[in-house]
Amino acid sequence: MKKLFDWADDCIRQWDWKNVALLKFCMLALGVLLGLALPRCARSRARAVSGMVFLLTWVPLMASLLNAAPWWEDVLPDAGHDSAE
């Protein structure tokens, strides 16, 4: 399993944003197809789980993105700096 994760890490290091976007669209399409295949009675549970997964992944990703954004310091001059400095 470690070899598989090492291989995946190597692939992602070589990718640019376009490859990552393609992977995300591919996974989105797979999720839609799986969602369409669910029986009607299971859709509300799937919707709730999907919503939680979205929030639990989106919040840290956006925090990381905003923290790394070069323009963020122009909007909030103290962003990314400790108040103790």
Side-chain angles (χ1 to χ4, degrees):
M1 193 62 139
K2 181 174 174 4
K3 286 183 181 182
L4 179 64
F5 287 137
D6 289 341
W7 173 79
D9 286 339
D10 289 340
C11 283
I12 290 178
R13 277 189 205 100
Q14 295 173 15
W15 286 1
D16 62 0
W17 67 270
K18 293 172 235 162
N19 296 107
V20 175
L22 286 173
L23 176 65
K24 288 179 174 284
F25 279 118
C26 177
M27 292 294 104
L28 173 66
L30 177 62
V32 169
L33 288 172
L34 291 174
L36 290 172
L38 286 175
R40 189 171 294 277
C41 62
R43 289 183 187 166
S44 62
R45 176 176 273 171
R47 188 177 299 125
V49 169
S50 296
M52 289 303 298
V53 169
F54 172 78
L55 286 176
L56 290 173
T57 56
W58 182 77
V59 170
L61 284 171
M62 289 302 107
S64 174
L65 177 69
L66 291 175
N67 194 30
W71 52 266
W72 193 244
E73 288 187 11
D74 294 338
V75 176
L76 295 174
D78 294 332
H81 302 290
D82 287 340
S83 58
E85 289 181 1

